[in-house]
Amino acid sequence: MQETLAIVLAGGVGSRLSPLTDNRTKPAVPFGGKYRIIDFTLTNCLHSGLRRILVLTQYKSHSLQKHLRDGWSIFNPELGEYVTAVPPQMRKGGKWYEGTADALYHNMWLLSRSDAKYVVVLSGDHIYRMDYAAMLEEHIENKAILTIASMKVSQPEAHAFGVLAIDHHHRVHNFVEKPIQPASLPDDPDHSLVSMGVYIFNMATLQQALIDDAALDSSSHDFGHDIIPKLIPTERVFAYSFGNEKGRVAKDCYWRDVGTLDSFYQANMDLLDPVPPMNLYQKNWAIRTYEPQLPPARTVSSATGNEGIFINSMIASGVINSGGSVQRSIISSGVRINDGATVMDSILFDGVEVGAGCQLVRCIIDKQVKIPPHTHIGVNPNEDKQRFTLSDKGIVIVPENYQF
């Protein structure tokens, strides 16, 4: 892993997650009560032995950069280790990044300065656990110039991904980004093989591919649309099967692109299942993050005699439940729930205060929102539409610092 550089793409606008991304980039959106989305990719790097990491930022990056400073300043530069945020440097003119491949092309000077032989290209907005070291080992064994992490999904879902066709040696012979009619697996017509957006390139191959792509005015400068399809006919491109981590990490095979409000909500709710599809409590693969120094969460009997209760919920530090009822919800740090309030199937970000007698159902409440007493959210869709954003499946999203 000493010969490997990791590059995390973390500059996406994430417009489908609005209003959660109105003031922050998608990788910085809170997740699971105490984490940020990017923590999962960076944790994978940490446990995989990748200690040279560039995070390419762009859109509303302040929250992300602050999180990297506070939670990820853990590597030793004396040993050549780092996690470095790299905003657009404008080295190729006055343009912003215009595609995933273009983001790396703008930073060719960083690639040139590196003595790395391999480059792991990652997205900072997926929720999953993966050992990249096992993938790199297979990349080297195959004498590949590019290896693409892949997984099976149901054939109707595959149109949202890059779809691969492989031979019995896992060599890729076709790749189509987001096809209208995805090809299914020859031995499994109900499923397709799709890209996870995790790539390992040989450094020389990546540099030449970026230079060739930048010269084409017709290119969208995207890995899936442009770079990968051009390498397949003449080069050794292989697919790596997600879940082939050889025992270093639990093979839960859970991977989610939380790019929409409904997928983000569901990925959070998955954590509350009796047997979660992704185990946050695996001791040898703990998810790292930044967490402020706060007192333990507690319940309090209210003045009216109501007991604060939590049922099947995740509770972060600093939470006070004073006579409220919380069921199947994720409660982030510093939240206050007051007498007689009911919170069900909801996600509350840091610093939210729920007034006495409130009723919240299937909501996402962003940071520092003070909900007045006896407010109902998620109960009457017609009323909610007039004030808030509703997802396609009816989840109500209250934006950060919303004033009632």
Side-chain angles (χ1 to χ4, degrees), residues 10 107-108 116-117 129 162 225-226 265 277 330:
N107 290 288
M108 281 284 286
K117 292 175 61 176
R129 181 190 282 116
H225 283 106
D226 306 292
Y265 174 83
I330 294 177

Side-chain angles (χ1 to χ4, degrees), residues 10-17 20-21 24-30 36-38 59-60 64 124-126 257-260 264:
V13 174
S15 56
R16 293 179 299 165
L17 271 182
L20 300 180
T21 51
R24 58 171 82 90
T25 187
K26 183 164 65 168
V29 172
R36 304 290 184 116
I37 292 173
I38 198 172
Y59 171 82
K60 295 184 179 179
L64 175 59
D125 51 10
H126 297 154
D257 180 352
V258 288
T260 67
F264 174 81

Side-chain angles (χ1 to χ4, degrees), residues 303-359:
T304 61
N306 288 326
E307 294 286 345
I309 61 171
F310 293 110
I311 300 173
N312 192 25
S313 297
M314 296 177 69
I315 315 300
S317 300
V319 172
I320 298 176
N321 183 352
S322 179
S325 174
V326 178
Q327 301 179 43
R328 193 170 164 75
S329 295
I330 294 177
I331 311 299
S332 303
S333 61
V335 169
R336 173 97 188 197
I337 300 163
N338 289 299
D339 186 26
T342 300
V343 180
M344 298 182 64
D345 300 305
S346 295
I347 305 166
L348 276 55
F349 288 4
D350 292 355
V352 170
E353 181 170 352
V354 183
C358 286
Q359 187 174 0

Side-chain angles (χ1 to χ4, degrees), residues 213-264:
D213 178 73
L216 299 174
D217 293 335
S218 59
S219 175
S220 61
H221 310 302
D222 180 80
F223 280 109
H225 283 106
D226 306 292
I227 299 289
I228 294 173
K230 287 183 175 65
L231 291 175
I232 288 172
T234 58
E235 300 286 359
R236 294 179 64 82
V237 179
F238 285 82
Y240 173 81
S241 298
F242 179 48
N244 190 27
E245 277 73 49
K246 303 178 182 179
R248 289 195 63 218
V249 57
K251 296 182 180 181
D252 46 38
C253 293
Y254 182 87
W255 179 92
R256 292 291 183 274
D257 180 352
V258 288
T260 67
L261 292 169
D262 286 319
S263 63
F264 174 81

Side-chain angles (χ1 to χ4, degrees), residues 84-103:
T84 301
V86 184
Q89 304 295 298
M90 303 300 182
R91 287 179 175 267
K92 304 298 179 181
K95 294 182 179 180
W96 299 98
Y97 301 150
E98 296 179 340
T100 53
D102 186 61

Side-chain angles (χ1 to χ4, degrees), residues 121-199:
V121 181
L122 306 165
S123 295
D125 51 10
H126 297 154
I127 304 296
Y128 67 118
R129 181 190 282 116
M130 181 177 179
D131 184 2
Y132 305 131
M135 181 176 172
L136 179 61
E137 181 181 325
E138 191 169 298
H139 174 85
I140 295 170
E141 288 176 356
N142 288 331
K143 298 180 180 179
I145 55 93
L146 166 61
T147 299
I148 305 168
S150 62
M151 62 185 295
K152 290 201 297 185
V153 301
S154 65
Q155 205 264 347
E157 294 179 280
H159 68 88
F161 303 92
V163 177
L164 299 87
I166 61 174
D167 62 20
H168 62 283
H169 295 297
H170 284 204
R171 184 165 176 172
V172 180
H173 58 78
N174 193 35
F175 182 96
V176 182
E177 183 71 14
K178 298 180 180 179
I180 297 175
Q181 295 199 349
S184 59
L185 290 164
D187 57 347
D188 187 355
D190 295 329
H191 291 86
S192 299
L193 189 68
V194 303
S195 168
M196 297 167 55
V198 175
Y199 315 120

